[in-house]
Amino acid sequence: NLALFQEKIMDFVAENGSRLLGSVSFDDVPGSLVTDLLAAVTRGKKSGTKISSDDYNLMRVGELRKCLHEKGLCIDGSRKAMIALLRENSATSNACAE
């Protein structure tokens, strides 16, 4: 799935940033990918601490899909689309079950 593949790439870039710096050009990277990269870096810094169930930006794609499934919502789409759908529906149900 594209969202999972993209997440794996962002995790790799976040973990290997010092090796990639200067070797890879980020000049043409879309803003949405930069957002995903920042999420991966932040997740890495918070590893070991529990992420709040309503902090969708830091959730992994699998966690987003689990929340969507538990709410009976479509689990397909980009990370951005999944987060938007969860936020849209959070008014009716505050947080996903853990």
Side-chain angles (χ1 to χ4, degrees):
N1 216 273
L2 186 58
L4 287 171
F5 181 64
Q6 185 176 344
E7 182 176 79
K8 290 290 184 190
I9 293 169
M10 293 302 124
D11 287 343
F12 176 82
V13 171
E15 292 170 10
N16 297 284
S18 60
R19 287 189 348 195
L20 296 173
L21 210 62
S23 303
V24 178
S25 172
F26 291 97
D27 293 341
D28 298 321
V29 175
S32 61
L33 290 180
V34 173
T35 301
D36 289 346
L37 180 56
L38 289 172
V41 169
T42 304
R43 266 195 314 269
K45 289 181 180 180
K46 289 190 171 195
S47 65
T49 61
K50 186 151 176 59
I51 295 172
S52 168
S53 63
D54 62 346
D55 198 353
Y56 301 127
N57 287 324
L58 297 180
M59 285 183 169
R60 302 189 69 77
V61 170
E63 295 168 321
L64 292 170
R65 286 187 173 157
K66 180 181 176 190
C67 288
L68 288 165
H69 178 73
E70 288 174 353
K71 293 178 180 214
L73 302 170
C74 177
I75 63 168
D76 292 329
S78 68
R79 175 182 184 74
K80 185 177 179 179
M82 287 187 270
I83 291 171
L85 188 56
L86 283 167
R87 286 196 173 135
E88 198 175 287
N89 286 278
S90 67
T92 58
S93 174
N94 283 340
C96 70
E98 297 188 28

